[in-house]
Amino acid sequence: MTLSLNNLTFVIVTFKSDHIIHECIESLPKDSNIIIIENSNNLELKKKLEEKYSKINVIVQENSGMGSANNKGIQLCKTDYVFVINPDVKFYENTMQELITLSSRYNDYSILAPISDDTKYPNYKIRNKSIRNNDPDFLNVDSVDGYAMLINKNKFSDNIYFDENFFLYLENDDLCLRKKKENKKIYVAKKAKIHHLGGKSHSSVYEKEIEFSRNWHWMWSKFYFNKKYYGYTKSLFINFPTLITSLVKIIFYFIIQKKFKKKIYTMRFFGLLNSIVGKNSWYRPKI
């Protein structure tokens, strides 16, 4: 099967994204298949979206993290292709057509991504210097950012997508690295542009809470990623500077944000200790 709008489902994980999700949906091709996983139990958002848009299914749940929520959306898809996107992205009028055209010519990819319209912040990484990119239509890359990933389910025979131990951050890098280890292709379409607002997936009302959680989860995910691929000792060494920086930020927020309860910090501290001693039952602070 080849990529087409009838054989594609968009999966969008939201969290308090009422202010931005409509712009995202309205930039997609008309009558697209859409599954939204709302990670904040916002039943009002579900009602509004399902009343306004056709072919949309909104699942409301407790916050299970990005990896877990994306997996739930993918599992619900009945199409061969899944486009995982963030609510703060916008498609250009020709974005999907360019992706469909490229896919019809080069259908050997496991992951395909549009290219960011902001050249200062590319949405891909090329770590392997031996990769040659002479084709005018696409880049062969090592990884792409998680805010726009088109997944070819035919290349996932094991049906294993995101590692749910990543609550937030690096779940996309982990997925891409696993596919590259399997010698699968990851492409970026040069002519299919996308606009990423960046950091606008949630309302500004929750900015302070998100900022605190962002620092915590970045430290957490970085430790787990390095532990998974390079071992426990090297992970501790690599993450020590991040640990110190994050702890300083945690202390800072603890001092200036009185509304945060002490028990939150205590639980997150012991959650970190659990990961350091090697336990698999990681505490997952909610945002």
Side-chain angles (χ1 to χ4, degrees), residues 108-141:
D108 61 337
Y109 61 87
S110 59
I111 299 171
L112 175 63
I115 194 166
S116 171
D117 61 1
D118 189 344
T119 57
K120 294 181 180 179
Y121 299 98
N123 61 321
Y124 60 88
K125 297 182 182 70
I126 302 176
R127 301 181 183 89
N128 187 349
K129 296 181 180 179
S130 65
I131 293 179
R132 296 183 178 180
N133 279 302
N134 299 321
D135 195 284
D137 296 323
F138 71 89
L139 294 170
N140 185 356
V141 303

Side-chain angles (χ1 to χ4, degrees), residues 182-198:
E182 296 172 9
N183 295 316
K184 299 296 175 61
K185 301 294 185 181
I186 302 175
Y187 294 153
V188 170
K190 293 181 179 179
K191 298 178 182 178
K193 291 186 178 181
I194 196 170
H195 181 66
H196 183 219
L197 296 175

Side-chain angles (χ1 to χ4, degrees), residues 59-117:
I59 308 299
V60 176
Q61 64 175 27
E62 292 285 347
N63 193 354
S64 63
M66 286 294 294
S68 174
N70 277 324
N71 282 343
K72 176 175 282 190
I74 294 170
Q75 290 165 4
L76 291 171
C77 291
K78 298 179 180 180
T79 54
D80 291 320
Y81 296 87
V82 180
F83 211 145
V84 174
I85 61 175
N86 283 8
D88 59 348
V89 301
K90 290 184 180 182
F91 281 57
Y92 284 85
E93 187 174 350
N94 67 334
T95 300
M96 273 312 309
Q97 186 54 55
E98 291 292 346
L99 289 170
I100 291 171
T101 299
L102 179 64
S103 182
S104 66
R105 294 173 53 200
Y106 305 97
N107 200 31
D108 61 337
Y109 61 87
S110 59
I111 299 171
L112 175 63
I115 194 166
S116 171
D117 61 1

Side-chain angles (χ1 to χ4, degrees), residues 30-284:
K30 187 177 180 181
D31 295 327
S32 295
N33 300 304
I34 303 172
I35 294 175
I36 291 180
I37 309 297
E38 168 54 33
N39 261 346
S40 73
N41 273 337
N42 189 345
L43 292 172
E44 185 63 27
L45 178 63
K46 173 181 172 67
K47 180 180 178 182
K48 288 180 179 178
L49 293 177
E50 291 184 344
E51 286 179 352
K52 185 174 182 179
Y53 304 105
S54 62
K55 302 177 72 173
I56 191 169
N57 182 19
V58 182
I59 308 299
V60 176
Q61 64 175 27
E62 292 285 347
N63 193 354
S64 63
M66 286 294 294
S68 174
N70 277 324
N71 282 343
K72 176 175 282 190
I74 294 170
Q75 290 165 4
L76 291 171
C77 291
K78 298 179 180 180
T79 54
D80 291 320
Y81 296 87
V82 180
F83 211 145
V84 174
I85 61 175
N86 283 8
D88 59 348
V89 301
K90 290 184 180 182
F91 281 57
Y92 284 85
E93 187 174 350
N94 67 334
T95 300
M96 273 312 309
Q97 186 54 55
E98 291 292 346
L99 289 170
I100 291 171
T101 299
L102 179 64
S103 182
S104 66
R105 294 173 53 200
Y106 305 97
N107 200 31
D108 61 337
Y109 61 87
S110 59
I111 299 171
L112 175 63
I115 194 166
S116 171
D117 61 1
D118 189 344
T119 57
K120 294 181 180 179
Y121 299 98
N123 61 321
Y124 60 88
K125 297 182 182 70
I126 302 176
R127 301 181 183 89
N128 187 349
K129 296 181 180 179
S130 65
I131 293 179
R132 296 183 178 180
N133 279 302
N134 299 321
D135 195 284
D137 296 323
F138 71 89
L139 294 170
N140 185 356
V141 303
D142 288 308
S143 65
V144 296
D145 287 349
Y147 64 77
M149 301 176 70
L150 198 162
I151 293 174
N152 182 354
K153 291 169 62 179
N154 298 307
K155 301 297 183 180
F156 288 78
S157 57
D158 55 7
N159 292 320
I160 297 175
Y161 299 96
F162 294 97
D163 182 342
E164 296 184 10
N165 284 310
F166 293 99
F167 187 88
L168 184 66
Y169 299 124
L170 298 182
E171 70 279 350
N172 59 298
D173 286 317
D174 172 73
L175 175 59
C176 290
L177 181 55
R178 282 189 280 116
K179 299 319 288 183
K180 295 299 284 190
K181 285 179 177 291
E182 296 172 9
N183 295 316
K184 299 296 175 61
K185 301 294 185 181
I186 302 175
Y187 294 153
V188 170
K190 293 181 179 179
K191 298 178 182 178
K193 291 186 178 181
I194 196 170
H195 181 66
H196 183 219
L197 296 175
K200 302 298 182 182
S201 293
H202 56 272
S203 171
S204 59
V205 174
Y206 305 98
E207 185 61 37
K208 292 177 181 177
E209 289 88 339
I210 295 294
E211 179 61 25
F212 176 87
S213 185
R214 181 184 292 120
N215 285 289
W216 174 263
H217 285 299
W218 172 246
M219 175 179 64
W220 188 293
S221 294
K222 188 178 178 184
F223 175 83
Y224 177 70
F225 182 89
N226 287 294
K227 179 183 175 184
K228 182 175 181 178
Y229 290 103
Y230 307 116
Y232 176 82
T233 302
K234 188 172 183 180
S235 179
L236 283 177
F237 177 77
I238 293 173
N239 283 276
F240 186 75
T242 305
L243 172 63
I244 297 302
T245 301
S246 295
L247 286 177
V248 169
K249 290 181 179 180
I250 288 172
I251 293 171
F252 173 75
Y253 282 107
F254 180 80
I255 293 172
I256 67 171
Q257 300 298 324
K258 294 182 180 180
K259 63 181 175 180
F260 285 124
K261 297 179 181 180
K262 292 182 180 180
K263 67 177 182 180
I264 295 177
Y265 294 86
T266 302
M267 294 174 73
R268 290 178 174 178
F269 176 73
F270 282 107
L272 175 62
L273 290 183
N274 282 339
S275 67
I276 291 175
V277 299
K279 291 185 178 180
N280 292 325
S281 56
W282 292 42
Y283 170 70
R284 292 178 171 179

